[in-house]
Amino acid sequence: MKCTYKNLVNDINRGDLVPVYFFYGREELLKEEAVQSLIQKAVPPDLRDFNLDILYGDETDWVQIIDRISALPMMAERRVVVVRDVNNLEATDKRKILQHLSTPFDHTCLILTAPDVDASRGFYKNLASLACHVNFYPLNDKLLFDWVQRRIQRYGKSIVPEAVQILCDSIGESLIALDNEIQKLAIYVEEKPTIEARDVAAVVGKLRSQTVFKLCDAVGRGDLPEAMTLLSQLQEAGAPRSHIVWAIRQHFVKLARVGQISRKGKSAHQIAVGLHIPKKHVNDIIQQSANLDEDDLEKAFAQIYETELKLKTGSQEPRMAMTLLVYHLCRPMGDWEDV
């Protein structure tokens, strides 16, 4: 049974638990928080020594897993068994587990986790058919923006939109990395209730955050010399390339959305408010968007995706991959066929 993250949270809060969960995907923080929420809901803290087992795919086998999930709970309504990184199980263990999960144990809550696997094929497809399965994918820019604001509220603070944008552009889409910086920000501002752009610049690093902004802007304007200079500065400063690519991708997502809204006749003010764009930048963004049609955007996103694959698989030297990305994005899109 496929489940959304939102529905999963609601079910856990209501206590509507099922025998088997399968959590996978790239977003590790939300995945881990879901695991911890299930543990907290299923087993009281004082009974977890007897009713909670945490296993790892590269250290266990199907016999041990089935032994743990078949054991009766001790002085509790149910047991919880967590198997992390089921992708590391041997093929035989995977087959045996599927056989036993066809008739799950109602007194046990089994939680299996994996990284970014293809749940539409093989073992993972069969596992997903037997479990409440949730794909923890990276949040898009709107959801990421909202998540940062909610996370900061946990510390009794608020944050201005420009500061959220700087934080996300500087750190990227990793919620673990963002959460670390949010904790630092909450400490840095002390009693001040609102986190501002200058606070983020001071904590995250003013040079890097400003340079990422300038790089995205230069790429959007098609200013190749400026973009190459800024890219070199970022790489020399040790900025994670995945974060740079993410920031560029988010910039083009923003350009696409601005183009859609502009064609509906919305004003610059309406665009700034609706997309959380600082007013001092909105006219530049509108101009950049006007220079791109749908075909241009499709080519840009294809180039960004190709670069992400190169960085992930190591199929091309990282600096060269980044250089080619910026080179392609800054050139007139119609000239790409000549490359």
Side-chain angles (χ1 to χ4, degrees), residues 12-307:
I12 294 174
N13 290 337
R14 289 194 302 266
D16 294 337
L17 308 187
V18 299
V20 185
Y21 291 90
F22 174 37
F23 298 157
Y24 60 98
R26 288 168 51 195
E27 183 37 65
E28 294 295 338
L29 180 63
L30 293 183
K31 192 192 307 180
E32 181 58 28
E33 288 184 343
V35 171
Q36 295 303 320
S37 294
L38 279 169
I39 292 172
Q40 292 171 15
K41 197 69 174 182
V43 183
D46 57 334
L47 297 177
R48 288 175 193 164
D49 287 344
F50 309 104
N51 297 290
L52 172 62
D53 291 296
I54 298 178
L55 307 173
Y56 295 86
D58 59 351
E59 299 176 357
T60 190
D61 58 23
W62 73 272
V63 175
Q64 188 176 19
I65 293 172
I66 300 306
D67 177 65
R68 300 297 176 88
I69 65 176
S70 61
L72 293 173
M74 184 176 294
M75 298 180 293
E77 182 180 347
R78 60 170 62 87
R79 292 174 48 78
V80 173
V81 177
V82 181
V83 183
R84 300 186 186 278
D85 298 326
V86 293
N87 51 297
N88 290 330
L89 288 169
E90 297 292 339
T92 300
D93 296 320
K94 292 177 180 178
R95 288 196 299 270
K96 290 290 187 180
I97 288 172
L98 290 176
Q99 292 173 9
H100 284 80
L101 291 186
S102 60
T103 54
F105 298 92
D106 292 336
H107 61 263
T108 298
C109 180
L110 173 63
I111 309 168
L112 305 112
T113 73
D116 190 18
V117 298
D118 185 354
S120 65
R121 301 177 61 183
F123 166 72
Y124 305 110
K125 179 180 180 179
N126 293 326
L127 177 58
S129 69
L130 299 170
C132 170
H133 63 103
V134 182
N135 182 2
F136 289 83
Y137 49 82
L139 303 182
N140 62 36
D141 56 341
K142 175 64 170 62
L143 293 176
L144 191 65
F145 198 99
D146 293 341
W147 182 88
V148 169
Q149 290 182 314
R150 290 196 306 272
R151 200 73 171 188
I152 285 174
Q153 289 172 0
R154 289 189 177 187
Y155 299 92
K157 309 291 183 184
S158 61
I159 184 169
V160 300
E162 185 176 4
V164 177
Q165 194 69 61
I166 294 174
L167 182 62
C168 292
D169 285 347
S170 301
I171 303 303
E173 63 188 7
S174 168
L175 298 191
I176 292 177
L178 283 168
D179 191 47
N180 287 336
E181 297 304 319
I182 287 170
Q183 293 179 45
K184 295 177 188 176
L185 281 166
I187 296 171
Y188 175 80
V189 298
E190 296 181 333
E191 300 301 320
K192 192 170 76 167
T194 302
I195 296 172
E196 300 175 352
R198 62 175 178 268
D199 300 319
V200 176
V203 171
V204 175
K206 187 173 182 179
L207 175 61
R208 181 179 296 181
S209 62
Q210 287 183 345
T211 305
V212 170
F213 266 135
K214 290 178 180 178
L215 172 62
C216 292
D217 183 62
V219 170
R221 289 185 284 105
D223 187 341
L224 181 58
E226 176 71 5
M228 286 298 187
T229 298
L230 293 167
L231 175 63
S232 177
Q233 291 176 3
L234 283 167
Q235 294 193 105
E236 290 298 327
R241 293 183 178 90
S242 60
H243 293 180
I244 299 173
V245 176
W246 182 86
I248 292 173
R249 172 160 53 84
Q250 295 305 101
H251 187 73
F252 274 86
V253 168
K254 186 183 298 180
L255 294 180
R257 291 183 175 175
V258 167
Q260 292 172 348
I261 296 175
S262 295
R263 287 190 289 273
K264 295 179 181 179
K266 300 295 184 180
S267 67
H269 174 74
Q270 290 172 314
I271 292 173
V273 172
L275 297 181
H276 306 293
I277 300 173
K279 292 181 181 179
K280 63 182 179 181
H281 298 312
V282 68
N283 288 326
D284 290 337
I285 296 295
I286 291 173
Q287 182 58 52
Q288 291 177 27
S289 175
N291 295 330
L292 301 171
D293 58 25
E294 290 187 8
D295 187 52
D296 295 333
L297 289 168
E298 285 183 9
K299 291 179 179 178
F301 286 123
Q303 190 67 34
I304 292 168
Y305 176 70
E306 181 180 335
T307 303

